[in-house]
Amino acid sequence: MSDDLKRQAAAMALSGIKPGLRLGLGTGSTAWHFVDLLGAKVAEGFDCVCVPTSEATARQAEALGIPLSNLETLNRLDITVDGADEIDPALNLIKGGGGALLREKIVAAASDVMIVIADGSKLVDTLGRFPLPIEVNRFGLGATQRTVAEVIAAHGAQGGLKLRETKDGAPFVTDGGHLILDAFFGRISQPEALSRDLLDIAGVVQHGLFIQMCEKAYVAMPDGVRTIQR
């Protein structure tokens, strides 16, 4: 059911995309459906140029014949369509479950509009149930991890901090060559303040809080797709 709902949300987002736009392509299981549906339209002659947020999305788009570019060539995008791990009532997000949060945030920030597609399980009253991904530099990991732990404790984290690993037990490495710390909050009461405090840490590259970046969300529920506007 969840996959069907994700595809419904992706189809609703795609229905509002006009030809000739510069698009950011998200990463993850829901964004995969959007890229797949877009590829079918491109095969029929739909005109667009896209910037992917990960190597995985780039491979998928290339295989479908979707024209790709980058933010050196296109320094501004019209719309980015991406998924989310959590969505609060103000359309603040937690993203990064797939490990692409840095590129996702760069592409979203370079876009006039960010649209999120998801199923209803991603809606929450308060962010924090999903572990917050924090992308960090490999250099000085121990010192960075200690400082991050102090910051999340000061912000009331109910759980700990864990270095993300692959299924083989090796550290998960992002497309940019960084590592990810997952912070288990339970509830994030002050996301703006937490964002500032994390970014003040020298070894932190970026985090998965997307605050006031999303303009619209298409959320697929069992009774249809719900549109949420900020």
Side-chain angles (χ1 to χ4, degrees), residues 67-144:
L68 296 183
S69 187
N70 54 56
L71 290 178
E72 288 72 51
T73 305
L74 305 175
N75 60 16
R76 195 74 197 160
L77 302 176
D78 298 299
I79 299 173
T80 283
V81 179
D82 206 344
D85 298 300
E86 282 190 344
I87 307 168
D88 79 4
L91 294 187
N92 295 317
L93 317 170
I94 286 182
K95 290 180 50 55
L101 65 100
L102 176 60
R103 293 190 185 185
E104 287 172 337
K105 191 172 278 192
I106 290 170
V107 170
S111 303
D112 292 337
V113 175
M114 180 189 190
I115 295 173
V116 161
I117 51 178
D119 65 77
S121 70
K122 308 299 185 184
L123 294 177
V124 297
D125 291 329
T126 306
L127 298 177
R129 182 181 62 195
F130 189 90
L132 177 66
I134 304 165
E135 190 159 340
V136 297
N137 203 294
R138 292 183 188 219
F139 179 82
L141 175 62
T144 301

Side-chain angles (χ1 to χ4, degrees), residues 1-17 30-31 33-34 37 81-83 87 115-120 122 216-221 224-227:
M1 174 64 82
S2 179
D3 247 15
D4 291 340
L5 293 177
K6 290 174 182 179
R7 199 163 183 88
Q8 288 176 32
M12 181 69 82
L14 184 57
S15 69
I17 303 292
T30 311
H33 288 288
F34 179 83
L37 293 168
V81 179
D82 206 344
I87 307 168
I115 295 173
V116 161
I117 51 178
D119 65 77
K122 308 299 185 184
K216 183 188 291 186
Y218 293 108
V219 181
M221 315 290 279
V225 179
R226 178 180 163 200
T227 303

Side-chain angles (χ1 to χ4, degrees), residues 189-203:
S189 56
Q190 295 180 299
E192 294 89 351
L194 175 61
S195 171
R196 290 192 299 270
D197 289 348
L198 287 173
L199 292 176
D200 278 345
I201 300 171

